Amino acid sequence: MSIRNLKSLFNPSSVALVGASVKPQTVGAVATRNLFAAGFQGEIYLVNPRRTEIDGHPCYADIASLPKAPDLAVIATPPDSVPEVIAQLGARGTKGAVVITAGFGEGGSERGQALCEAMLAAARPHLLRIVGPNCFGLMLPRIDLNASFIHMQPLPGRLAFVAQSGALLSTVVDWSTHRRIGFSHLVSLGDMADVDFGDMLDYLSADNHTRAILLYIESVTHARKFMSAARAAARIKPVIVVKAGRYGESAMAAASHTGAMAGSDAVYEAAFKRAGILRVNDLEALFDAVSTLGQLQPITGDRLALLTNGGGIGVMATDTLKYKKGTLARLSEATLQKLNAVLPPTWSHGNPVDIIGDAPPQRYIDALSAIMEDPGVDAVLVMNCPTAIGSSTDAAQAVLETVKKRPSHTRRCGLLSCWIGEGPAEAARRMFHEKGIPSYETPTKAVRGFMQMVRYRHSQAMLMEVPAGMPETFSPERDAVKRIIAAALNQRRDWLLETEAKAVLAAYGIPVVPTVAADNPDEAARVAAEMGGPVVLKVLSSIIVHKSDAGGVALNLTTSEAVRQRANRMREHFRQAIEDVSTLRFSIQPMIQRAHAHELIVGMHVDPQFGPVLLFGHGGTAAEVIMDRCLALPPLNMNLAREMIASTRIHRLLTGYRGVPAVDLAEIAFTLVKVSQLVCDVAEIAELDINPLLCDPQGVVALDARLRIQPADGTANQRLAICPYPTELEQTIRLPDGLQLLLRPIRPEDEPAFQRLFASLSPEDVRLRFLHPMKMLPKNLAARLTQIDYDREMALVLTENHGRKNGELFGVVRFSADPDLERAEFAILLGKEKTGLGLGPMLMRRILDYARGRGIKQIFGEVLNDNRPMLALCKALGFKRRRVPDDPGVTEVSLTL
């Protein structure tokens, strides 16, 4: 489930408390008091079989006795009773319940887990949604509902806070009320037996009363649902998260370097980044981020100017900015001349702009006006420390007047403030907040707020960025890989041999060093002689995984005799590890020695929550010591791959330094994309290491590879947290004139072609298809229409091109489903070049067949009344018609699938 019936939970007109009580210090008593004290205007029913009233309010003996089915039930009865209570509520017609009760298997109790299953089974036939169990409840200040046992009533506002920890929720209510921060929703999810973070994100992203979503996460369930919901929500409003357990490592024993380097928290970090969620470290940073994102207008870059009346706080702000990898704006010569003209000779003559401690309000006005004019400044942090000469509130008022009167061309420049101290400074901060300018108590907090905005802007840009095309056509040999893995699984092996692992990589176009297997030392010597030159000798065994650590690798052997001798010594070395050492085999490969080459690692392992995770970083034998790595969720495109590379420390070396040339970064990124595709295609791959992957200006080559396999429970697609491009939907279409077109799912790389298709339409075509005139297609809308979530949406395009290179688009048909996959809205766009060939009906039938196969119950769309061809097509396909009450010029068409 997803958002189905969540309205009953979060906008109820009636509430029943099952387990109401008068016994002091009990959950039932506190919940009863909170329900009535908050001022909820709907009906409240109390259920307690042993009482007829509580504090003058009538009590009902059981659910059957209630005057009507409540929209929402709050349950605070013993755990053994909960499944039956849920069953009775469902039978009455209740669609939402909050189960405060604990005892449902939190400590691994089999009895508790059985009760949880029974509770869910009782709810399922009635589609009754459950928050909890083991939670503090929920609070909806907008409708004055406090269905919790938290000790105080929160203020109303437009922030939604969702947490697993009820105790933390209680702390947030206390903390935020003191700071006058209000909420639309406060929800304690507890054990998340039903409603989870994915459901909440889907619901709150569409809630008009919520402008930002705040999350406290300990773990997620249903990773794909979470990622789909998070990516959709983050496109609409800020989503900010505090993730507990930052330093907890995965309990999974990992045999590969990748597994050892990829802790569970780093995987969550990668997931949040991919979704466009802003992660912060603590609650204070969480609410600071809300203030910054809610009040600071979107900035266009990361160049910050500092304006201060105190040199010390300017230095502090600069240090924090550099520590957080921000950019100190370089003031232009014109700006410096303006500042020289209005500031005393003793000013700092650079950024930070120190206007000296005796600065009167006019000095703030003059300096700020000059800085905001500078095109090299994206935002200004104005700071003030109290002095005996200048007034803090007068300085604040001067800044506000400057902002109010500034020319329109300077409004692209963001403004933040930091007034240090109490009393007048506190009043100044309040003045800034009232005018929508974020204000902070310390330079560190202010710079942190700015960098949160920079990170948020970057993540939003990544969500909308059009990926670069592939450097070349990429056609993996999938069948060859499946044969290699099937043979190894038939032999009950967990690890592929090195030669097999390299054959898998080669099948996906990843350059590998030529590697030859030898059955004994003599054969190894013969192979080395044929290769000529220095060689590398390795043991070839599925038992010995880390060959270097175990003494199973010899480098730079220059003669065949040296190879034979070293192979014999390896046999002796492994005599205890291998039952019959005479069966120990070897691999031989040329010794690759390249000037200015770097050793990298590319890998993959399976995370318990998010499935396959990719890794890139500094490779070699010290990879786990250096721990310079970046993680990402597949699938990757070239932009995401480049982002991975740029997130590592070694990236600075790869771009060239002190006469050392830059490496081929595009080839590294392409290798990451190829590994991503391998992981998306082959479900049996459990762990993968390419270490080292040697790179230099000429490209990359894999010197060693490890690949662990296991029988697959499902398809490769099913284990991914993000649904990949569905290659299986590609289909060749032959037109009556013999021309062949490719029908395939849309790709993010199609955005330029989609823009060209739109540009080819007449103004009347645009009006009919988009329901209103548009001279151009906004870039963010074009990105949204081409960067789709294949798990919830589908868009099929017609193109002439049969390879990876993107050709022209002749038509697009799409649907976008609700999170429950109950209903989906369709749209179709056909270029004039291909009209009259029957492509419109063909595209509609294809998308209807696909929607039907996904289990979607109904598909609908809105059509202008004068779009007669579209209405005729819908009639031929069996759609029903209904006039839209609010828009008499539009007809809704719908088809039950």
Side-chain angles (χ1 to χ4, degrees):
M1 288 190 186
S2 187
I3 61 171
R4 195 180 310 174
N5 290 331
L6 291 191
K7 186 177 180 180
S8 296
L9 281 163
F10 303 120
N11 194 25
S13 61
S14 56
V15 180
L17 174 59
V18 185
S21 176
V22 293
K23 187 176 181 181
Q25 306 302 315
T26 63
V27 171
V30 175
T32 301
R33 183 176 67 248
N34 285 347
L35 271 176
F36 286 103
F40 179 60
Q41 296 300 302
E43 297 163 288
I44 299 175
Y45 307 127
L46 303 181
V47 179
N48 185 323
R50 291 183 294 275
R51 299 191 64 89
T52 58
E53 60 85 26
I54 292 178
D55 293 335
H57 304 289
C59 266
Y60 298 90
D62 51 33
I63 291 155
S65 305
L66 296 176
K68 69 174 187 178
D71 291 334
L72 170 66
V74 181
I75 302 173
T77 61
D80 287 353
S81 67
V82 171
E84 179 58 27
V85 169
I86 291 290
Q88 292 176 16
L89 287 166
R92 282 296 308 266
T94 298
K95 296 300 182 183
V98 175
V99 180
I100 293 175
T101 309
F104 290 84
E106 297 87 15
S109 159
E110 291 185 9
R111 169 64 178 162
Q113 291 170 359
L115 281 173
C116 187
E117 289 299 320
M119 175 187 70
L120 294 175
R124 200 169 294 122
H126 311 287
L127 301 179
L128 189 153
R129 306 305 305 278
I130 296 174
V131 169
N134 186 28
C135 70
F136 272 43
L138 59 85
M139 290 170 285
L140 308 170
R142 183 180 64 84
I143 59 173
D144 298 318
L145 176 63
N146 186 346
S148 78
F149 63 99
I150 291 176
H151 63 293
M152 62 190 304
Q153 177 72 9
L155 299 174
R158 298 193 65 196
L159 303 178
F161 187 86
V162 183
Q164 277 173 276
S165 166
L168 185 78
L169 197 73
S170 178
T171 301
V172 165
V173 171
D174 193 29
W175 187 90
S176 61
T177 302
H178 175 70
R179 289 161 177 79
R180 309 300 297 172
I181 297 171
F183 298 89
S184 61
H185 302 71
L186 290 125
V187 183
S188 166
L189 292 180
D191 293 344
M192 297 191 298
D194 175 19
V195 176
D196 60 12
F197 284 109
D199 300 328
M200 293 304 306
L201 285 166
D202 276 326
Y203 181 83
L204 292 171
S205 66
D207 180 64
N208 294 329
H209 304 287
T210 298
R211 70 171 177 85
I213 304 170
L214 317 180
L215 307 175
Y216 171 81
I217 292 179
E218 295 169 5
S219 63
V220 302
T221 56
H222 308 296
R224 179 175 288 191
K225 180 175 74 171
F226 173 81
M227 290 301 296
S228 290
R231 293 167 73 198
R235 291 177 185 268
I236 300 171
K237 58 189 68 172
V239 181
I240 310 169
V241 62
V242 175
K243 166 67 175 67
R246 178 175 285 272
Y247 298 104
E249 293 296 317
S250 171
M252 180 184 66
S256 66
H257 292 290
T258 299
M261 293 170 68
S264 61
D265 185 73
V267 177
Y268 273 97
E269 186 81 33
F272 296 149
K273 186 176 181 181
R274 182 65 174 272
I277 292 176
L278 178 64
R279 181 180 185 179
V280 296
N281 293 334
D282 52 49
L283 289 177
E284 190 171 33
L286 184 75
F287 288 102
D288 280 349
V290 171
S291 175
T292 306
L293 296 178
Q295 295 181 304
L296 182 64
Q297 71 267 31
I299 58 173
T300 57
D302 63 351
R303 299 166 298 180
L304 181 66
L306 305 171
L307 172 59
T308 175
N309 71 337
I313 60 175
V315 173
M316 289 175 61
T318 303
D319 286 347
T320 304
L321 186 67
K322 291 296 184 182
Y323 176 75
K324 292 186 175 293
K325 298 181 173 58
T327 301
L328 193 65
R330 184 183 295 274
L331 301 179
S332 69
E333 188 60 37
T335 300
L336 293 173
Q337 290 178 9
K338 291 178 184 177
L339 292 171
N340 283 331
V342 297
L343 296 180
T346 53
W347 83 278
S348 58
H349 297 280
N351 188 16
V353 178
D354 181 2
I355 59 176
I356 314 303
D358 63 350
Q362 187 61 42
R363 203 177 292 171
Y364 272 98
I365 294 172
D366 295 338
L368 181 58
S369 299
I371 295 169
M372 288 191 300
E373 291 273 359
D374 195 321
V377 175
D378 297 310
V380 186
L381 169 57
V382 185
M383 295 180 284
N384 177 276
C385 56
T387 69
I389 300 174
S391 163
S392 295
T393 51
D394 288 349
Q397 190 62 48
V399 170
L400 290 172
E401 286 297 319
T402 306
V403 172
K404 182 180 178 180
K405 296 177 181 178
R406 65 174 168 171
S408 59
H409 68 276
T410 68
R411 289 174 186 167
R412 54 156 194 86
C413 184
L415 185 69
L416 306 91
S417 63
C418 172
W419 256 239
I420 299 173
E422 305 297 333
E426 187 174 359
R429 290 193 295 270
R430 189 161 52 249
M431 290 163 58
F432 283 117
H433 279 302
E434 289 172 355
K435 297 299 181 181
I437 296 173
S439 190
Y440 307 88
E441 298 172 357
T442 68
T444 298
K445 288 183 180 181
V447 173
R448 181 179 65 184
F450 171 71
M451 291 306 298
Q452 287 170 342
M453 189 67 193
V454 170
R455 286 168 48 211
Y456 178 73
R457 171 187 167 273
H458 179 72
S459 66
Q460 292 298 298
M462 287 297 294
L463 283 177
M464 295 296 181
E465 194 170 12
V466 179
M470 298 292 185
E472 61 191 70
T473 300
F474 172 45
S475 301
E477 301 174 17
R478 296 180 176 89
D479 291 340
V481 171
K482 291 178 180 178
R483 286 194 296 271
I484 293 170
I485 292 177
L489 289 174
N490 286 338
Q491 297 171 18
R492 298 176 182 262
R493 286 194 280 127
D494 294 331
W495 289 89
L496 296 187
L497 300 174
E498 180 190 356
T499 49
E500 295 170 327
K502 287 181 175 176
V504 168
L505 298 183
Y508 271 71
I510 299 169
V512 298
V513 62
T515 305
V516 180
D519 292 333
N520 53 60
D522 291 336
E523 188 176 346
R526 179 183 59 76
V527 171
E530 292 175 355
M531 283 186 178
V535 299
V536 177
L537 175 72
K538 303 177 187 176
V539 295
L540 189 64
S541 169
S542 60
I543 298 174
I544 304 165
V545 179
H546 294 291
K547 298 182 287 291
S548 296
D549 296 344
V553 178
L555 305 176
N556 207 24
L557 300 178
T558 56
T559 67
S560 59
E561 185 57 32
V563 170
R564 179 184 290 105
Q565 292 178 9
R566 184 58 66 92
N568 279 314
R569 287 206 295 272
M570 284 182 181
R571 277 193 167 180
E572 286 301 312
H573 179 70
F574 289 108
R575 186 172 295 277
Q576 291 183 342
I578 298 176
E579 186 174 337
D580 183 3
V581 78
S582 66
T583 63
L584 184 65
R585 302 174 70 212
F586 305 92
S587 70
I588 304 92
Q589 64 188 54
M591 181 74 188
I592 305 296
Q593 294 176 309
R594 295 183 181 177
H596 308 311
H598 300 272
E599 291 186 334
L600 306 174
I601 181 172
V602 173
M604 165 268 185
H605 88 293
V606 179
D607 179 77
Q609 274 81 36
F610 290 95
V613 179
L614 302 173
L615 175 140
F616 169 82
H618 197 302
T621 55
E624 290 162 67
V625 177
I626 297 172
M627 287 296 286
D628 175 24
R629 50 91 171 102
C630 175
L631 304 185
L633 301 182
L636 294 184
N637 56 40
M638 288 295 288
N639 285 8
L640 293 170
R642 288 182 181 275
E643 179 78 6
M644 282 189 77
I645 299 167
S647 298
T648 59
R649 297 190 301 275
I650 198 173
H651 175 254
R652 298 180 65 182
L653 301 180
L654 301 179
T655 56
Y657 63 99
R658 292 189 177 181
V660 177
V663 306
D664 190 342
L665 289 171
E667 193 60 29
I668 299 173
F670 196 22
T671 300
L672 284 166
V673 171
K674 291 172 180 177
V675 171
S676 169
Q677 190 62 53
L678 172 63
V679 170
C680 291
D681 288 343
V682 185
E684 290 81 6
I685 296 178
E687 287 186 66
L688 168 66
D689 272 346
I690 306 173
N691 185 31
L693 177 74
L694 207 65
C695 68
D696 64 8
Q698 284 69 52
V700 302
V701 60
L703 300 188
D704 199 2
R706 302 181 183 90
L707 205 158
R708 184 168 69 85
I709 56 175
Q710 61 186 22
D713 294 331
T715 66
N717 180 318
Q718 290 170 336
R719 67 177 185 161
L720 298 172
I722 299 173
C723 187
Y725 174 82
T727 308
E728 67 277 6
L729 296 182
E730 293 182 350
Q731 183 181 3
T732 299
I733 303 295
R734 185 182 296 273
L735 300 186
D737 60 2
L739 178 65
Q740 287 188 351
L741 297 180
L742 178 66
L743 180 69
R744 61 165 174 81
I746 203 166
R747 293 193 289 251
E749 298 92 328
D750 289 321
E751 193 261 358
F754 190 82
Q755 287 277 22
R756 290 193 295 272
L757 175 62
F758 178 87
S760 72
L761 301 175
S762 69
E764 179 64 6
D765 290 333
V766 171
R767 185 186 71 84
L768 291 176
R769 287 159 176 77
F770 290 88
L771 305 187
H772 58 84
M774 280 196 299
K775 292 184 178 180
M776 61 178 292
L777 190 65
K779 185 172 178 59
N780 62 343
L781 177 57
R784 181 68 192 88
L785 293 174
T786 52
Q787 299 182 33
I788 68 172
D789 183 344
Y790 296 117
D791 203 44
R792 296 183 175 186
E793 305 170 83
M794 182 50 64
L796 299 175
V797 300
L798 274 175
T799 176
E800 281 183 334
N801 191 274
H802 288 255
R804 285 296 305 184
K805 296 293 183 181
N806 297 301
E808 297 304 312
L809 302 183
F810 302 118
V812 185
V813 65
R814 68 174 66 245
F815 74 71
S816 178
D818 62 36
D820 301 314
L821 297 182
E822 286 285 306
R823 300 182 79 227
E825 184 173 10
F826 81 90
I828 184 169
L829 181 63
L830 196 63
K832 280 193 172 182
E833 184 179 345
K834 300 298 179 184
T835 56
L837 299 175
L839 295 181
M842 182 274 294
L843 287 173
M844 282 296 294
R845 284 193 290 269
R846 289 290 197 280
I847 204 71
L848 292 176
D849 288 343
Y850 181 77
R852 190 176 287 111
R854 289 299 311 275
I856 292 171
K857 304 294 189 302
Q858 186 185 66
I859 196 160
F860 71 97
E862 291 187 344
V863 183
L864 290 177
N865 294 341
D866 55 349
N867 191 350
R868 293 183 180 86
M870 190 68 228
L871 290 173
L873 174 58
C874 290
K875 181 179 180 181
L877 293 171
F879 279 75
K880 294 180 179 180
R881 296 169 59 168
R882 182 183 72 89
R883 290 294 177 94
V884 177
D886 297 335
D887 192 343
V890 175
T891 294
E892 182 183 275
V893 295
S894 62
L895 179 67
T896 300
L897 302 178

